[in-house]
Amino acid sequence: MTMQTSYNGISVPANGQAIEYNNGKFTIPDHPIIPFIEGDGTGRDIWKASQRVFDAAVAKAYGGKRSVAWYEVLAGEKAYRQTKNWLPDDTVKATVDFRVSIKGPLTTPVGGGIRSLNVALRQLMDLYQCVRPVKYYAGVPSPVKHPEKLNVVIFRENTEDIYAGIEFREGTPEAQKFIAFVNDDMLKGTKKKIRLDSGVGVKPISITGSKRLVRAAIQYALDNKRKTVTLVHKGNIQKFTEGAFREWGYEVASQEFREQTVTERESWILGNVEANPKLTAEENAALIEPGIEFAAKEFGEEVIAEVKSVLASIGASHGAGKWKTKILINDRIADSIFQQIILRPEDYSVLATTNLNGDYISDAAAAQVGGLGIAPGGNIGDGYAVFEATHGTAPKYADKDVINPGSVILSGVMLFDFLGWTEAARLIESSMEKTIGQKFVTYDFERGMQGATKAKTSEFATRMIENM
């Protein structure tokens, strides 16, 4: 493929090569060209500091044998000032052509009819996995007593749900037409009705989108020796969207990863038999569904059939305790998981979620370990990845050299792990932990630490480099 020599009028670095992707695998050169969007507001300060940290880590880890050819592409306010376009076509083309990129926070103008630039990038490149690792770094101020118990990686579906952006404003002809169709055709003969003065949105959740997301989450758990994958959903209320996500997730586990996984209900059935080998299917059913005798006869028969099916299909491969070595696939209602990660954080490892639920839970989880200031994220598709800060632009602090650069720095850690440059990634992580341990931190952490020194954004980066 022939690359452009410049994008948005900015020349492509001559000292690097493009990352390639063939047959499902990336080929990473020693000097990859990686586009970056510095971001709006505080993004300018954060990116300057982060790039210095990245370059220092790569230089120390590889002694000049590897380096990143950083390449600026334009988006957000800077792009609008220069091109009158919030997301120029050339920027999208560069992120596609060079495949792996990183970005700071971007402005999302509210109510002005301009779609979120983050959402636009995700949908244009089909970056269907939003991956958010959340873990504690020693010394970071936290509102909980044992933040170190939380160590989860959240796989949030990134292209569907309400983020598909199908909405109709109240009072418009489109909204009226949509409401009339639903009320007069789809809900005809029922007591349900949409109020005529409603704005309306459509929430699509597909079998394709759900399965590929859960597939990626289970594969990550396998590759990284994680013990559980939890499907997070609101299927008790929205049975054919959220509930379907749950069902399709279990199908992926049992059909595509049968040898490596066990579902929570299967583990109960197998465990009951191990505790009492003489247990009948009826007795086993009563143990996994207490009160089954009061349920409809058909329900009881279904559970008994489930017990028999599990024992027949995986009794030999997963029985006799072997299921305990498998990845446990379970599910939790979305509101329940907020409580669970506070009360029993050690029980959760990988969460696979629908889009909106994942948005909420990833920010709530980040709060337990110190907040969005050190919460990284990656948007990953087949052949593409965009790593990003997960916080906003905080424009009132722009160009003041005060903001915590941790979110972008740790997104860089994700980027280097993605490239397979794990030595550089660990160097950055350990130097950040050491710097925080020295209580040399930006104001957001300093105000919650006794005896801490308040550092500027640039000074924090410099100390990190020294600590390598």
Side-chain angles (χ1 to χ4, degrees):
M1 183 175 69
T2 306
M3 299 281 186
Q4 294 176 202
T5 56
S6 68
Y7 298 78
N8 301 312
I10 303 170
S11 295
V12 172
N15 60 335
Q17 298 84 43
I19 292 170
E20 294 181 4
Y21 182 79
N22 295 296
N23 301 320
K25 293 200 179 302
F26 286 92
T27 303
I28 312 296
D30 285 337
H31 307 283
I33 297 169
I34 298 191
F36 72 90
I37 297 166
E38 69 176 11
D40 295 325
T42 55
R44 294 185 286 274
D45 286 338
I46 291 170
W47 177 256
K48 280 195 215 83
S50 300
Q51 188 179 331
R52 287 171 49 221
V53 170
F54 299 153
D55 288 341
V58 171
K60 185 160 182 68
Y62 308 113
K65 292 191 175 115
R66 288 177 174 170
S67 65
V68 175
W70 299 107
Y71 178 48
E72 183 172 16
V73 293
L74 303 177
E77 293 169 11
K78 192 172 189 177
Y80 192 76
R81 281 196 302 272
Q82 293 186 28
T83 70
K84 294 291 178 263
N85 190 335
W86 291 92
L87 185 62
D89 290 344
D90 258 10
T91 296
V92 176
K93 185 142 183 24
T95 54
V96 169
D97 286 353
F98 295 107
R99 295 195 173 271
V100 179
S101 55
I102 187 167
K103 59 181 279 296
L106 289 176
T107 299
T108 299
V110 177
I114 299 168
R115 291 283 306 287
S116 162
L117 301 181
N118 289 345
V119 173
L121 281 173
R122 289 170 195 165
Q123 292 181 344
L124 285 164
M125 299 167 71
D126 199 24
L127 304 171
Y128 61 90
Q129 308 165 44
C130 181
V131 183
R132 297 275 297 269
V134 181
K135 73 175 189 177
Y136 184 65
Y137 291 90
V140 173
S142 164
V144 298
K145 285 184 178 177
H146 292 287
E148 73 283 353
K149 289 184 178 180
L150 183 67
N151 184 349
V152 298
V153 180
I154 298 160
F155 277 73
R156 167 191 170 198
E157 202 290 320
N158 221 6
T159 62
E160 300 188 323
D161 201 350
I162 63 169
Y163 290 81
I166 306 166
E167 285 190 293
F168 305 109
R169 189 194 297 267
E170 180 273 326
T172 60
E174 293 84 0
Q176 291 165 356
K177 185 177 181 181
F178 185 91
I179 292 168
F181 168 67
V182 174
N183 283 348
D184 301 342
D185 286 34
M186 303 303 291
L187 297 177
K188 189 176 182 180
T190 74
K191 292 184 178 180
K192 287 184 180 178
K193 285 285 180 279
I194 300 174
R195 292 194 181 101
L196 300 180
D197 60 351
S198 299
V200 287
V202 180
K203 174 193 176 89
I205 290 183
S206 72
I207 189 167
T208 301
S210 300
K211 283 194 168 185
R212 68 182 182 175
L213 184 278
V214 174
R215 189 176 296 122
I218 296 174
Q219 190 59 55
Y220 177 89
L222 280 170
D223 294 342
N224 293 275
K225 296 181 170 50
R226 295 258 171 171
K227 296 291 177 64
T228 62
V229 175
T230 302
L231 308 170
V232 178
H233 61 93
K234 192 63 181 164
N236 57 328
I237 303 300
Q238 296 183 310
K239 297 187 177 3
F240 306 128
T241 50
E242 300 272 336
F245 175 85
R246 170 188 179 273
E247 293 307 316
W248 294 328
Y250 277 124
E251 283 177 16
V252 170
S254 59
Q255 293 171 11
E256 300 180 30
F257 295 92
R258 182 68 281 180
E259 284 302 306
Q260 301 100 330
T261 65
V262 63
T263 70
E264 190 166 50
R265 283 176 72 86
E266 289 168 349
S267 75
W268 297 341
I269 292 166
L270 294 167
N272 290 339
V273 170
E274 283 157 31
N276 179 5
K278 295 179 180 176
L279 206 64
T280 67
E282 290 75 12
E283 290 166 337
N284 203 329
L287 288 172
I288 65 168
E289 287 286 354
I292 195 172
E293 66 270 25
F294 304 114
K297 184 184 175 193
E298 295 78 17
F299 177 75
E301 288 171 351
E302 280 177 18
V303 179
I304 292 165
E306 178 191 359
V307 169
K308 290 177 178 176
S309 172
V310 167
L311 295 175
S313 61
I314 61 168
S317 60
H318 289 55
K322 290 195 282 287
W323 60 271
K324 294 173 186 172
T325 67
K326 313 290 184 184
I327 293 174
L328 179 70
I329 311 294
N330 57 18
D331 73 275
R332 297 292 180 265
I333 302 294
D335 41 304
S336 162
I337 200 70
F338 282 86
Q339 175 176 257
Q340 292 284 311
I341 62 166
I342 293 170
L343 297 179
R344 308 183 66 165
E346 64 277 10
D347 288 355
Y348 298 93
S349 182
V350 176
L351 307 181
T353 84
T354 52
N355 205 330
L356 182 61
N357 292 331
D359 200 2
Y360 293 148
I361 196 67
S362 51
D363 282 17
Q368 287 182 230
V369 299
L372 293 180
I374 56 163
N379 299 286
I380 300 168
D382 296 329
Y384 304 100
V386 179
F387 297 92
E388 65 172 346
T390 58
H391 53 68
T393 56
K396 72 176 181 177
Y397 296 111
D399 305 312
K400 292 183 178 173
D401 198 22
V402 296
I403 289 290
N404 189 340
S407 182
V408 169
I409 289 174
L410 291 174
S411 296
V413 169
M414 291 183 73
L415 183 152
F416 289 127
D417 275 329
F418 189 81
L419 298 182
W421 294 14
T422 53
E423 299 85 357
R426 300 291 78 74
L427 205 52
I428 296 168
E429 231 177 359
S430 60
S431 76
M432 177 179 274
E433 192 147 26
K434 187 173 181 183
T435 305
I436 293 168
Q438 293 167 345
K439 297 190 175 184
F440 189 82
V441 290
T442 48
Y443 83 93
D444 56 321
F445 286 174
E446 182 265 342
R447 62 191 174 187
M449 278 183 178
Q450 282 192 322
T453 301
K454 183 161 70 173
K456 294 180 177 179
T457 310
S458 55
E459 292 170 339
F460 182 80
T462 299
R463 178 66 68 92
M464 273 191 68
I465 293 165
E466 290 168 359
N467 280 331
M468 290 179 192

